[in-house]
Amino acid sequence: MKNFNYSIPTEIFFGEGQIKVLPEQIKKYGTKVLLVYGGGSIKKNGVYSKVVELLNSNDIKFWELSGVDPNPRITSVRKGIQLCRENNIDFILPVGGGSSIDCSKVIAAGYYYEGEPWDIVLDPSKIRNALPIGAILTLAATGSEMNAGAVITNMDTNEKLGTGNPSMKPKFSILDPTYTFTVPKNQTAAGTVDIMSHVFENYFSSTKGAYVQNRLSESILKTCIQYGKLAMEEPENYEARANLMWASSLALNGLLGYGKESRWSVHPMEHELSAYYDITHGVGLGILTPYWMEYVMNETTIDSFVEYGVNVWGINPDKDKLQIAKEAIEKTKEFFISLDIPMHLEEVGIGEEKLETMAKAATRHGSLGLFRPLDSQDVLNIFKAAL
Ligand code: NZQ
Ligand code: ZN
C-alpha cells in the first residue's frame, strides 16, 4: 500500500426527506444562489418545485442555468460564470446527475479565473479557488457529488477532459434515493456500469498489498450486481435505489483509490468516444470494459482477475487460474448484457473511421494505466475488438 492523505470533507445528507436541510446548509455559505440543472427531468418529477419552494420560503435569492447537456459543454460553463459575475452569486446549487454537478464545479472555479474557462479544464493547476457548491443528486453514477473532479466537453475541438481541484468538492450533498425513482432504465443501467467501472479502475492496479481497499471494492461491485437490474425492473424499489446511490458516492470519493496507483485506463478511452460521438458515458464504459479486460489479462495480471472472479462472482477457487479469469470476464459481459448495455461500438453508431484518431487522443499524455500500460496501438486494438 502507498502513502496517502485522507480528506473527504463533503457532508452527506442521505435518505428520504433530507431536502429539508437545504436552506440552513446554503445559508452557511451564501444567500445568492445559482441553480444549475439539465434538460428538465427535475421539473417532471417534482424535485425542482420542492427546491424552489424551500428557497423562496427562506428568502434565498436564486438565478437559473438550465439546459446543461449530458456530457456538459464548456459553453454552459461560460454562461454560468457570466451569470455568477453579473449577479454576485455566492453559492452554486446543481440539481441533477454528474453533468449538472460537473458543470457547476467548473463554473465555481472559473468564477475566480480571469482567462478563458477552457484553460482550467486543460490545466487544472491554474485553479486557485472555487465558489462553494452544494449538490442535490438525482442519478446514481458518477460520484461527482462527493469528489473534486469534473469532466467537460468542448464540441469545437472534440475534446472531453477531466479537471479538478480540492476547492471544487461539494460542501454538502443531499442524496435522497426517491429522487432517482424516475431515472429511466437505460440511465439506471449506464449509472450502474459507471459505478462498477470506477471500482475497476482502482481495483485492477499494479499496487500490491492494498487488501482493505480491494475488499471494500468487491463489496461495491457486489452491490451493483445485486441491485442494478432490480432498480431497472422496479424503479421505485427504495432499497435498490438507496444502495446504488451510496455505492455511487463510495466508489469515487477517494476511499477505494487511496494507497493505490491511480492512473486509469477505460475512462480515458471512453471519454474519446463521448467526445467524438456524444454517447452516454456508462454505455461507452460497458462496451469497452470486457474487451479491455480480455486485452490486459496476462501472466502478470491474472491473479487480480482470479481474485475478482472468486470474491465477486463466487467462482470455485479450485478451478484452473486461467479458467477462473476467463469466466470472470464472461460473467462481467453477461451482467452488462442483462442490463441491456450494447456490446459493440457499431450499435451506438461508432464505425472504424475515427478509431485511430481517438486512440491517439486517448494517449496524448502518455500510456494509460500502470496495471498493464496501454499505448495508442493497444488502445486501437481494444477499440477494434469492441467494434
Ligand atoms: O438533463 P435532465 O433532464 O436532468 O436528464 C438527465 C439526462 O438526460 C437524466 N436524469 C438525471 N436524473 C434523472 C434523470 N431523468 C429522470 N429522473 C431523474 N431523477 O439522465 C440523463 C443523464 O444525466 P447526466 O447528469 O448526464 O448523467 P451522469 O450522472 O451519468 O453524468 C455523466 C457525466 O459525468 C461525467 C461523465 O463523463 C458525463 O459527462 N463523469 C464525471 C465524473 C466525476 N465528476 O467524478 C466521473 C465519471 O467517470 C464521469 O466521467
Ligand atoms: Zn465514470
Side-chain angles (χ1 to χ4, degrees):
M1 199 189 299
K2 296 170 73 162
N3 291 3
F4 61 88
N5 300 342
Y6 174 104
S7 172
I8 309 180
T10 302
E11 201 167 346
I12 296 295
F13 297 93
F14 191 96
E16 185 166 11
Q18 287 283 25
I19 192 76
K20 63 178 186 294
V21 305
L22 183 66
E24 77 194 47
Q25 287 304 317
I26 291 178
K27 283 178 179 174
K28 283 189 189 170
Y29 306 99
T31 52
K32 298 172 95 183
V33 171
L34 182 69
L35 177 60
V36 178
Y37 57 96
S41 69
I42 63 163
K43 290 198 170 166
K44 286 194 204 122
N45 62 16
V47 178
Y48 173 85
S49 55
K50 184 70 200 165
V51 170
V52 166
E53 178 200 315
L54 281 170
L55 297 178
N56 283 336
S57 59
N58 285 278
D59 294 324
I60 299 170
K61 285 182 114 183
F62 67 95
W63 287 257
E64 295 190 23
L65 175 71
S66 61
V68 174
D69 296 292
N71 300 326
R73 317 288 199 246
I74 190 67
T75 45
S76 299
V77 172
R78 291 191 193 113
K79 264 193 230 164
I81 294 172
Q82 197 185 346
L83 277 168
C84 289
R85 289 186 179 151
E86 282 170 4
N87 301 291
N88 297 318
I89 298 289
D90 50 20
F91 188 83
I92 307 191
L93 180 66
V95 185
S99 294
S100 295
I101 304 173
D102 285 5
C103 184
S104 299
K105 287 175 173 174
V106 183
I107 294 170
Y111 176 82
Y112 287 109
Y113 181 73
E114 294 291 314
E116 154 59 32
W118 186 243
D119 294 351
I120 60 171
V121 178
L122 289 172
D123 182 2
S125 73
K126 293 188 166 143
I127 301 172
R128 296 274 170 268
N129 201 359
L131 286 170
I133 298 172
I136 299 174
L137 186 66
T138 67
L139 200 172
T142 65
S144 187
E145 65 276 11
M146 212 175 170
N147 69 36
V151 187
I152 301 294
T153 297
N154 187 332
M155 297 301 276
D156 296 333
T157 57
N158 286 122
E159 285 172 295
K160 177 176 177 179
L161 300 172
T163 186
N165 182 274
S167 65
M168 288 156 57
K169 288 184 184 175
K171 300 291 178 204
F172 65 88
S173 287
I174 296 173
L175 275 54
D176 182 335
T178 67
Y179 290 180
T180 65
F181 282 179
T182 54
V183 175
K185 278 190 177 168
N186 63 336
Q187 290 292 342
T188 303
T192 303
V193 173
D194 193 20
I195 299 168
M196 292 178 78
S197 180
H198 297 155
V199 179
F200 290 147
E201 297 278 14
N202 289 313
Y203 183 82
F204 293 107
S205 161
S206 59
T207 308
K208 302 282 176 234
Y211 183 93
V212 62
Q213 290 91 330
N214 287 355
R215 301 297 83 75
L216 286 167
S217 299
E218 287 157 1
S219 70
I220 306 289
L221 293 170
K222 285 171 131 172
T223 302
C224 293
I225 295 161
Q226 174 84 8
Y227 290 111
K229 181 81 182 154
L230 187 60
M232 288 169 72
E233 284 164 356
E234 299 174 19
E236 302 202 1
N237 183 320
Y238 185 87
E239 182 180 317
R241 294 297 195 181
N243 278 282
L244 288 175
M245 199 170 212
W246 191 219
S248 144
S249 306
L250 293 176
L252 198 52
N253 65 1
L255 198 61
L256 307 182
Y258 283 132
K260 303 185 86 174
E261 62 85 6
S262 59
R263 267 168 64 181
W264 287 17
S265 304
V266 182
H267 271 69
M269 289 193 266
E270 193 294 315
H271 285 170
E272 295 310 320
L273 306 182
S274 288
Y276 280 86
Y277 294 91
D278 200 18
I279 65 165
T280 299
H281 174 61
V283 171
L285 295 170
I287 297 172
L288 294 177
T289 295
Y291 299 102
W292 168 77
M293 286 181 166
E294 277 163 7
Y295 196 82
V296 300
M297 201 263 287
N298 58 27
E299 276 179 17
T300 321
T301 63
I302 192 166
D303 288 344
S304 295
F305 286 96
V306 171
E307 206 169 53
Y308 168 61
V310 171
N311 293 342
V312 175
W313 292 107
I315 300 169
N316 182 350
D318 297 335
K319 284 186 180 176
D320 167 67
K321 268 184 12 173
L322 187 61
Q323 199 187 342
I324 297 174
K326 284 188 168 168
E327 230 177 274
I329 297 172
E330 197 49 38
K331 284 196 176 289
T332 312
K333 198 185 253 188
E334 281 167 13
F335 177 66
F336 291 169
I337 291 170
S338 80
L339 300 181
D340 296 329
I341 295 283
M343 277 299 115
H344 299 281
L345 294 175
E346 283 176 341
E347 291 173 69
V348 292
I350 300 178
E352 213 159 345
E353 328 70 72
K354 293 185 182 136
L355 295 187
E356 210 170 319
T357 311
M358 293 192 295
K360 284 196 179 128
T363 50
R364 55 166 86 69
H365 298 304
S367 58
L368 304 181
L370 291 173
F371 180 61
R372 150 82 161 90
L374 305 170
D375 63 21
S376 74
Q377 185 58 49
D378 295 316
V379 174
L380 183 60
N381 293 343
I382 294 170
F383 283 160
K384 282 188 173 164
L387 253 187

